Amino acid sequence: MQNISNVKAVTPVIPSQDGQYLMLSITPKTDSNNPKTEKLVNNLRHLKIHGQKVLVTGSTAMNIDISEKLNSVLPKFLLIIVALAFVLLVFALRSLIIPLIAVGGFVLSIIATLGAITFTIQEGHFATLLHLPGKTAVLNFLPVITIGILFGLAMDYEVFLVRQIHEEYLKKPSDITSAVKIGLEKVGSAVIAAALIMITVFASFAFTDEIIIQSMGLALAFGVFADAFIVRLLLVPSLIILCGKANWNLPKWLKLK
């Protein structure tokens, strides 16, 4: 134990009733969310005494285990959501390209959101401006919550916008650019208003003094901003114009009779 740093106090060793285990409590110098405390737990878990592995429990150790488990299944969770969304959007929008753009944009929004959370909460940038306590660990189930909520909002905006563009396109198939412009004029303001309401509500969570609520609010506010304003109102219409008539090309075997 002499080589283990960040230790404030160590209690005397207590044997178990059967004498097979020895238990002691270690108090770190830093709080449970501090990266140094996480490093201490990992160091203890790699420690061996008389050839026996050290088992570590406690709030920090439990958070580490939960985070590792969630991180291991997060890619599968995202893949299932994206795959199911793609299939549903193909039949809802009668297109292959537009659903591909929709789910691809959603993945970009999630990557940007998680990057922003790491930059602000975990690394502590703009902590004073965002009313954050400084460098702290990211909530282990935050990515799952963020993906679930943002997915619903993103697909809602997507269907609302693309349906209107498609209606305008059917009126004049030779001019996809005009269809996109008119579609944005008719529903763009509604998407902007809805997004601003959500951003305002989520951003207000940052003014609390609870880091869990702050991190959730910040993640959702940034996610809605990135997805609504950058992906749905900028990226999606631009790619629809570039793809032209190919947007609504659908293989015959996928068309309903």
Side-chain angles (χ1 to χ4, degrees):
M1 290 292 297
Q2 291 83 355
N3 297 327
I4 302 296
S5 60
N6 196 35
V7 175
K8 183 179 180 180
V10 180
T11 63
V13 176
I14 302 174
S16 62
Q17 291 183 353
D18 57 9
Q20 295 184 4
Y21 299 95
L22 299 175
M23 184 179 72
L24 57 85
S25 296
I26 298 175
T27 304
K29 296 178 181 178
T30 50
D31 59 61
S32 59
N33 290 326
N34 195 295
K36 292 182 179 180
T37 307
E38 181 178 345
K39 184 178 180 181
L40 172 61
V41 172
N42 292 328
N43 289 337
L44 290 172
R45 285 179 165 174
H46 287 90
L47 185 66
K48 288 189 176 181
I49 300 178
H50 301 298
Q52 298 297 319
K53 187 176 180 181
V54 175
L55 303 178
V56 184
T57 187
S59 60
T60 303
M62 292 173 59
N63 287 333
I64 292 173
D65 294 338
I66 293 174
S67 297
E68 290 179 351
K69 185 63 177 179
L70 289 174
N71 289 336
S72 65
V73 300
L74 187 61
K76 297 178 182 178
F77 174 64
L78 181 59
L79 181 61
I80 291 173
I81 286 181
V82 168
L84 289 177
F86 177 79
V87 173
L88 292 175
L89 288 175
V90 166
F91 289 99
L93 302 177
R94 314 306 301 158
S95 169
L96 284 178
I97 294 179
I98 292 179
L100 186 62
I101 295 173
V103 297
F106 174 69
V107 172
L108 291 177
S109 298
I110 290 298
I111 293 174
T113 301
L114 296 181
I117 292 303
T118 301
F119 185 76
T120 53
I121 295 178
Q122 185 169 305
E123 297 181 0
H125 299 286
F126 305 118
T128 303
L129 179 64
L130 298 173
H131 192 65
L132 297 173
K135 292 183 179 180
T136 186
V138 176
L139 189 64
N140 46 34
F141 55 84
L142 181 61
V144 176
I145 294 177
T146 303
I147 290 174
I149 295 178
L150 288 184
F151 173 76
L153 294 174
M155 295 304 106
D156 186 31
Y157 297 154
E158 176 74 18
V159 174
F160 188 48
L161 177 63
V162 172
R163 279 290 190 185
Q164 187 62 50
I165 293 176
H166 191 209
E167 288 182 9
E168 300 301 327
Y169 170 76
L170 292 177
K171 295 176 182 177
K172 193 176 182 181
S174 61
D175 193 355
I176 185 66
T177 302
S178 295
V180 171
K181 288 181 179 180
I182 297 174
L184 285 173
E185 289 176 359
K186 288 186 176 182
V187 303
S189 57
V191 173
I192 292 173
L196 288 176
I197 292 172
M198 299 301 294
I199 292 171
T200 303
V201 172
F202 291 139
S204 65
F205 293 174
F207 295 100
T208 66
D209 294 323
E210 177 57 54
I211 184 59
I212 294 178
I213 299 177
Q214 288 177 316
S215 59
M216 290 176 60
L218 182 61
L220 293 173
F222 183 86
V224 172
F225 170 79
D227 194 86
F229 289 95
I230 299 177
V231 175
R232 305 305 152 191
L233 294 177
L234 181 62
L235 181 63
V236 169
S238 300
L239 291 177
I240 289 178
I241 292 175
L242 289 175
C243 294
K245 294 182 179 180
N247 286 298
W248 285 280
N249 286 343
L250 196 66
K252 292 182 179 180
W253 59 275
L254 281 176
K255 295 182 179 179
L256 297 175
K257 294 182 180 180

